[in-house]
Amino acid sequence: MPETSRHADDDVLCSEGDGSYDVSFFAASVAHSSVTSQRIFGAMSGAMLSARRPVWDALSPEDRQAYLLERHEMAHHALMFSTPAGGLIWRLNQVIARDAGYLLQKCDEWQIKFDGHASPRRCFADATWRAKFLKMAATAENGRHRDYCVEVFEAASKVIAFKEVLIEKGADGDLTVGEFLDLANFVYAWLEKRCAVPFVTMWKSRRPRDEKLFKPGEEYNINDIAECHAIGAELFVLRALGDPAAFKARADLALKGPYRKAFAAAVSHASTDGDYGFSPYFVQVAALTAMSGNIDTVAADGPKERYIEDEFPWHRFAQWQDNQTPALVSSIQSLIFWHGRPLVGAGSRWLKFVDWHQLQDFAKVQGLVDTFSSLGLDLQIHAMHQGAMLNGRFLATMLADGVPTASRLPLPALSREEWFEETLLSIHMIEYDDNLLFTGEDINEIYPADSPLRMMAIFDQMRSPIYQFMAHIMTGTAARNTFARFDHRQIPKIDVLEPKVLRLFEEKDFATSICQLFRNLYERHVPETLLVRLKRYI
């Protein structure tokens, strides 16, 4: 499979034109048909991979690439939806989208235009335009909103810069430790305010402030580590199939590609004797423990100070070779804690369920949008919690098996093979050239018996896969396209998705209305037109 090239959206892990994984959607796209996927996976299933070598040899080169591509993208999901580092990227996207949406809304309300072809983000950053903005907004009824817009923009610009350090392709070699600490401390305080849950708000370092954040030879970040993990998934398959020639070719490509520094470190962590030279399984474990530092929420009464060397992925990844048992222990603790924490608080007002049947006119549409946006977030949060528990069980099993003196945690064991399959198969949506794979959730597992939501009329409708699909797409689209509009990036068109949605559901009229909803909300930005299309359904 080709190495990844630079993509306009740095939190879309993109394998050239062949595949991608979008953190905002928790969904993968692959450049082959669902028929191809079903045929290949049908042939390769039903027995251990080690027994599938004759089938593998009979596949065409294109079919082998399609199989490995899908494994690669599912591995991105297995890592990004189930670790605190992946959860932090999800959180940053949500906060950026909400802040950008607020700024765009206020400019629309006050009929304030942006200069020429400059993006709103660039306009807010320009001192001349900002002064003009303050003057134009001076007639607004509440001047507090005008001044608050400037505060939100300044915060959003720092949140965006922080996310770029974490996941932009090509780690920033000029950033110093002190600059990163200052940025992180501001951003985490802003996240605490936006999400209404506690975070570490005093990050420290054991290194001098004027040193470069990324040491020479270690200029890699979450993006690189995620790619190493996904390449490890491909190599895991090739080793299980007993194909050392293909294994060597894929590893050599990775050692020459854009993620070569991180991959070389991973190989050195995982060296073994034998024909293969290193274990792709340990490449994946190193990536998993690197992403499982305590960098998302913390206990309300927990420490507010932490060291970046202990928690941030690139530090944990570089130290894994000499720190395996402590890395396993700290990762298990972090994952189990994160699994049990609410990821957003009531004060954030992110979750707003409305019995929209009882509303009238546009309020009914707004209630529907709020409700299904909230359902989408709840579905994603539930998935992250479940993924964290899978990882915690697997690492606890690995620790107990590898360190006889370690105390076995009271968690059900999860073998390497079970972990590999369960995390890969947990993905709920894959987009193919011709179709969509979407699997819904049993919402009884998400909302306990005493949940007030069960008393609302909408609860039964939320069981329906088509409503869950709507929530899933709405949540990802809002995060992706709001920032795209703010930064003048390309906004994906619903025309690409619409025929696949129509194939997915039997209710064709409703599927068409869903697509119209997305088009109005995220392409045209005119939600008032929704009533005409949706009136028969709401």
Side-chain angles (χ1 to χ4, degrees):
M1 189 180 73
E3 287 290 354
T4 303
S5 61
R6 185 171 180 82
H7 191 270
D9 290 311
D10 287 300
D11 53 342
V12 178
L13 304 174
C14 182
S15 302
E16 292 192 347
D18 295 322
S20 64
Y21 179 75
D22 192 314
V23 178
S24 295
F25 286 92
F26 285 176
S29 298
V30 292
H32 54 259
S33 69
S34 59
V35 173
T36 298
S37 175
Q38 292 166 3
R39 174 173 54 77
I40 297 170
F41 275 82
M44 293 295 292
S45 301
M48 298 289 288
L49 280 172
S50 56
R52 300 278 89 188
R53 179 62 191 270
V55 177
W56 178 255
D57 288 341
L59 293 177
S60 68
E62 293 77 16
D63 282 354
R64 293 181 195 175
Q65 180 173 324
Y67 182 78
L68 292 177
L69 173 65
E70 209 158 323
R71 287 280 186 166
H72 183 107
E73 301 306 336
M74 288 191 291
H76 280 324
H77 177 73
L79 187 70
M80 297 302 291
F81 95 109
S82 65
T83 57
L88 178 62
I89 299 302
W90 166 86
R91 183 185 302 283
L92 293 170
N93 282 346
Q94 294 296 327
V95 170
I96 290 167
R98 282 166 169 76
D99 286 345
Y102 171 80
L103 294 171
L104 292 169
Q105 176 190 349
K106 287 303 175 186
C107 286
D108 286 345
E109 287 179 7
W110 298 337
Q111 298 183 335
I112 295 174
K113 306 299 182 183
F114 301 103
D115 288 342
H117 297 291
S119 69
R121 181 183 175 189
R122 285 180 57 192
C123 287
F124 273 104
D126 181 79
T128 301
W129 186 90
R130 194 183 310 191
K132 185 168 62 175
F133 164 82
L134 291 172
K135 182 178 180 180
M136 288 186 292
T139 58
E141 292 182 6
N142 191 343
R144 180 177 61 84
H145 286 294
R146 179 197 63 186
D147 298 334
Y148 186 58
C149 280
V150 175
E151 179 186 351
V152 170
F153 170 76
E154 290 174 347
S157 64
K158 291 182 179 179
V159 175
I160 292 168
F162 180 71
K163 193 189 82 169
E164 288 172 347
V165 175
L166 266 59
I167 203 166
E168 183 174 313
K169 295 171 179 65
D172 188 344
D174 294 328
L175 193 71
T176 67
V177 170
E179 289 169 338
F180 180 74
L181 290 174
D182 293 342
L183 185 61
N185 288 329
F186 177 91
V187 168
Y188 275 86
W190 187 255
L191 293 181
E192 187 167 270
K193 180 178 180 179
R194 276 290 185 258
C195 305
V197 288
F199 293 89
V200 171
T201 51
M202 182 55 70
W203 286 101
K204 295 184 175 182
S205 175
R206 300 183 183 94
R207 299 164 56 201
R209 284 180 58 89
D210 59 355
E211 278 192 10
K212 300 299 184 185
L213 177 66
F214 296 103
K215 297 179 180 179
E218 297 178 5
E219 298 94 346
Y220 49 79
N221 59 12
I222 286 175
N223 186 283
D224 303 80
I225 294 168
E227 290 297 341
C228 286
H229 179 267
I231 293 167
E234 296 180 63
L235 295 172
F236 187 100
V237 168
L238 294 172
R239 179 169 177 170
L241 287 166
D243 193 341
F247 182 101
K248 183 178 186 303
R250 182 67 185 97
D252 288 346
L253 183 64
L255 288 167
K256 297 174 184 175
Y259 308 107
R260 57 189 174 275
K261 291 181 180 179
F263 192 73
V267 169
S268 69
H269 295 335
S271 60
T272 59
D273 296 329
D275 294 338
Y276 294 90
F278 67 96
S279 166
Y281 165 62
F282 283 114
V283 169
Q284 291 197 287
V285 172
L288 173 58
T289 56
M291 296 279 282
S292 297
N294 198 339
I295 61 171
D296 202 55
T297 63
V298 299
D301 57 351
K304 304 293 280 187
E305 298 182 1
R306 291 191 185 274
Y307 286 88
I308 61 173
E309 291 84 2
D310 296 335
E311 311 298 349
F312 276 86
W314 49 89
H315 290 298
R316 294 171 65 87
F317 194 66
Q319 298 164 5
W320 194 79
Q321 177 66 27
D322 302 318
N323 203 36
Q324 293 180 23
T325 299
L328 288 173
V329 171
S330 66
S331 296
I332 294 166
Q333 292 171 338
S334 177
L335 288 163
I336 299 305
F337 170 80
W338 194 62
H339 163 265
R341 292 292 298 169
L343 299 189
V344 295
S348 69
R349 294 182 292 179
W350 286 17
L351 302 175
K352 185 179 180 182
F353 293 93
V354 180
D355 249 341
W356 41 270
H357 294 283
Q358 302 172 8
L359 303 175
Q360 297 296 322
D361 301 322
F362 181 65
K364 182 176 288 191
V365 178
Q366 187 61 55
L368 180 144
V369 171
D370 290 342
T371 297
F372 288 104
S373 294
S374 300
L375 174 60
L377 286 172
D378 265 354
L379 292 173
Q380 290 190 338
I381 290 169
H382 175 72
M384 287 189 280
H385 281 158
Q386 295 302 104
M389 179 54 72
L390 284 175
N391 287 334
R393 288 172 54 199
F394 162 66
L395 292 179
T397 304
M398 182 181 176
L399 179 65
D401 292 345
V403 185
T405 58
S407 299
R408 186 178 288 273
L409 294 175
L411 298 172
L414 191 69
S415 70
R416 175 178 68 178
E417 290 75 18
E418 290 170 329
W419 167 73
F420 189 68
E421 290 301 319
E422 288 197 39
T423 51
L424 288 181
L425 296 177
S426 62
I427 191 167
H428 294 298
M429 180 173 162
I430 301 177
E431 181 183 4
Y432 296 95
D433 278 349
D434 62 339
N435 210 337
L436 294 169
L437 169 69
F438 179 77
T439 57
E441 286 276 4
D442 180 0
I443 63 172
N444 288 321
E445 296 181 4
I446 304 176
Y447 301 103
D450 60 350
S451 170
L453 187 57
R454 288 177 175 269
M455 303 300 295
M456 300 177 71
I458 60 167
F459 188 77
D460 284 339
Q461 292 174 310
M462 286 164 53
R463 301 178 191 274
S464 166
I466 195 168
Y467 278 87
Q468 291 188 26
F469 174 80
M470 180 179 181
H472 184 83
I473 296 296
M474 184 177 294
T475 300
T477 302
R480 169 65 55 240
N481 287 16
T482 301
F483 181 54
R485 185 183 170 209
F486 184 62
D487 204 34
H488 273 200
R489 299 182 179 186
Q490 183 176 2
I491 297 176
K493 298 299 183 182
I494 197 65
D495 293 343
V496 176
L497 191 63
E498 187 165 3
K500 301 172 188 179
V501 176
L502 294 175
R503 290 190 191 100
L504 185 62
F505 297 111
E506 294 180 0
E507 300 176 58
K508 305 300 183 186
D509 287 346
F510 193 25
T512 300
S513 295
I514 287 175
C515 292
Q516 186 68 12
L517 170 72
F518 299 147
R519 184 174 289 111
N520 285 327
L521 282 175
Y522 306 118
E523 292 181 23
R524 300 171 183 162
H525 319 296
V526 284
E528 291 82 356
T529 64
L530 296 178
L531 280 174
V532 175
R533 294 289 297 169
L534 292 173
K535 64 182 179 181
R536 75 182 71 175
Y537 301 107
I538 62 175

